[in-house]
């Protein structure tokens, strides 16, 4: 049995309800922060990844399959960078999940989620920008029979400026093929253009 996991193929996904907005200035300051993590890059800049306002609600699976786990996720994936005035900073922010499970039936997991609605709001920072957001994803993974932990990216985009948030409301996600209690842990990963990386992990939710 293998605990290592490799993506095999991307598959079509079903349409689901949900919206995802981008708030690019001051979003984290008014949010309920779940977790933060900070690094100082090689140029001495303080780079912070922030998970905030996280809410994961598990619901009975619509397909009625006892091997399916279904949930709705709302929250914020934020970044904050302390840089001197006029000093540019660019990077990539990703919101995703770690999914822990005791076993699988077939050795494969199938993830499905979609964010069909996108709204863009530019904040007061004229340098702030987010683009190339991932709107949909379906992926089948060869994971072995477990136990295991799988990381899957849900949404992300290139960012610049000093702070901002990806704000998600009602993202609908499912994972199929799991046996036993399944635990979801959201994360925010921030990678600067020079490769410096920081990850903040949100609160656990289990079913």
């Amino acid at each position: 049995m293998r605990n290592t996991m490799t993506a095999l193929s991307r598959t079509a996904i079903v349409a689901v309800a949900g919206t995802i907005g981008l708030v690019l200035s001051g979003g984290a300051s008014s949010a309920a922060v779940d977790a933060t993590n900070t690094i100082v890059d090689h140029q001495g800049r303080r780079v912070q990844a922030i998970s905030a306002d996280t809410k994961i609600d598990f619901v009975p699976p619509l397909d009625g399959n006892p091997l399916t786990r279904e949930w709705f996720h709302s929250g914020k994936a934020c970044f904050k960078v302390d840089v001197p005035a006029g000093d540019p900073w660019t990077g990539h922010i990703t919101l995703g999940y770690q999914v822990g499970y005791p076993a699988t039936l077939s050795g494969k997991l199938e993830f499905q989620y979609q964010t069909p609605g996108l709204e863009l709001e530019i904040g007061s920072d004229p340098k702030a920008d987010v683009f190339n957001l991932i709107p949909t994803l379906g992926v089948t993974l060869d994971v072995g029979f477990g136990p295991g932990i799988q990381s899957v990216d849900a949404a992300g985009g290139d960012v610049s400026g000093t702070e901002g948030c990806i704000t998600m409301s009602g993202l609908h996600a499912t994972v199929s093929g799991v046996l036993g209690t399944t635990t979801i842990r959201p994360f925010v990963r921030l990678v600067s253009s020079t490769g410096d990386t920081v990850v903040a992990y949100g609160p656990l939710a289990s079913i």
Side-chain angles (χ1 to χ4, degrees):
M1 296 186 290
R2 294 179 301 162
N3 290 334
T4 57
M5 288 150 273
T6 305
L8 290 183
S9 63
R10 296 187 180 275
T11 62
I13 70 173
V14 297
V16 294
T19 60
I20 182 167
L22 310 182
V23 183
L24 303 183
S25 180
S29 62
S30 61
V33 174
D34 305 311
T36 65
N37 199 8
T38 304
I39 59 169
V40 177
D41 69 14
H42 67 283
Q43 297 184 37
R45 298 174 296 191
R46 187 171 180 267
V47 180
Q48 187 175 26
I50 304 166
S51 173
D53 288 346
T54 301
K55 182 180 181 183
I56 296 177
D57 293 318
F58 285 100
V59 296
L62 196 62
D63 62 6
N65 188 336
L67 303 182
T68 296
R69 306 292 182 267
E70 184 173 349
W71 67 92
F72 289 89
H73 176 202
S74 299
K76 291 184 177 182
C78 304
F79 72 97
K80 186 175 182 180
V81 185
D82 294 333
V83 296
D87 185 13
W89 182 90
T90 59
H92 190 91
I93 191 170
T94 301
L95 189 151
Y97 301 101
Q98 287 185 323
V99 179
Y101 53 91
T104 70
L105 184 63
S106 65
K108 298 181 185 297
L109 291 181
E110 182 176 347
F111 292 87
Q112 297 183 351
Y113 40 90
Q114 185 175 23
T115 56
L118 300 179
E119 295 180 0
L120 179 63
E121 178 182 344
I122 300 299
S124 60
D125 185 348
K127 297 182 296 179
D129 193 15
V130 173
F131 52 94
N132 294 335
L133 197 72
I134 301 171
T136 62
L137 177 64
V139 60
T140 299
L141 305 174
D142 181 6
V143 300
F145 293 99
I149 300 172
Q150 174 62 45
S151 294
V152 182
D153 296 347
D158 295 323
V159 292
S160 63
T162 58
E163 64 177 316
C165 294
I166 296 176
T167 301
M168 307 177 64
S169 177
L171 184 144
H172 180 203
T174 63
V175 58
S176 297
V178 294
L179 294 168
T181 300
T182 300
T183 300
I184 308 296
R185 176 164 54 197
F187 65 82
V188 177
R189 182 175 63 242
L190 188 62
V191 182
S192 73
S193 59
T194 55
D196 299 294
T197 302
V198 59
V199 183
Y201 294 95
L204 298 175
S206 298
I207 188 172

